[in-house]
Amino acid sequence: MAKANEIKYLTAIKQEKRAKKFCRFKKYGIKYIDYKDAEFLKKFLNEQGKLFPRRLTGNSLKYQRKVSEAVKKGRQMALLPYVTDLLK
Amino acid sequence: MNNYELMVIFTPVLSEDDFKAAQRKFTDLITENGGEMVNSNPWGLKSLAYPIQKKTTAIYWVAEFKGQPDFNEKLKIQLLRDEQVLRHMINKLDKYAVEYNHRKKSGAPTGTEKAVEV
């Protein structure tokens, strides 16, 4: 039985190389995430105003927590909605 | 003397000079108790993301000040007692936050513009 890696395809299967996710806070050296900056925080919210998980934002754990803390403060001060249908 | 940031949401029915009077009241309270006002930034009338006490717009005021740790209790009591104040929040600022606010006030680019395109 031909083992998987011995199978030769007619055309090479091209696995598209997904862009390597990076933590934008470490890369650009941002140290403080301002809860007042609603436009910037909206990058991390989906249409319903919920937070994106780390695997989608690519943030490191330390900065994902800071983002979630800032978003919750923004929600408390009515800068960001708790739940909405069309945020963007 | 820690750095704090106070954000206050006033009722939208506040007139301009009432708004200034309210700001002065709190800034005087801060300076009387050995605090020091660093920056006062009234945003004015803004629409809220969700209605607070049946109001959809409100007047925002952000103030950055230095103060004693035990002073915040007194400030909180005053804020809770004032009916014009819908909601308030006091945050402790670490050194990065202070540097961020300073750069934002002086117009220097804070890092967030670079990180927008991702």
Side-chain angles (χ1 to χ4, degrees), chain B residues 25-106:
Chain B
K25 183 178 100 166
F26 289 119
T27 41
D28 294 348
L29 187 68
I30 290 171
T31 42
E32 268 155 33
N33 297 0
E36 174 208 333
M37 277 300 294
V38 172
N39 175 18
S40 165
N41 176 9
W43 288 2
L45 201 64
K46 244 171 89 82
S47 62
L48 298 173
Y50 52 85
I52 300 178
Q53 293 178 11
K54 307 294 184 293
K55 300 177 181 62
T56 54
T57 60
I59 296 181
Y60 279 78
W61 176 49
V62 178
E64 193 186 333
F65 63 95
K66 285 190 169 70
Q68 301 298 335
D70 55 5
F71 161 70
N72 285 334
E73 249 343 280
K74 284 197 277 287
L75 183 60
K76 196 164 72 137
I77 292 165
Q78 288 303 324
L79 283 163
L80 291 175
R81 181 175 293 147
D82 188 337
E83 299 89 27
Q84 292 171 347
V85 172
L86 295 184
R87 200 170 282 192
H88 69 278
M89 174 190 282
I90 303 174
N91 291 314
K92 186 170 190 290
L93 297 178
D94 55 7
K95 62 182 188 311
Y96 298 121
V98 171
E99 193 247 338
Y100 174 88
N101 283 344
H102 180 67
R103 272 161 61 161
K104 198 140 179 64
K105 191 174 63 162
S106 61

Side-chain angles (χ1 to χ4, degrees), chain A residues 13 15 47 50 69 71 74 84:
Chain A
I13 40 171
Q15 317 101 338
E47 269 68 37
K50 297 192 310 189
E69 199 185 295
V71 164
T84 173

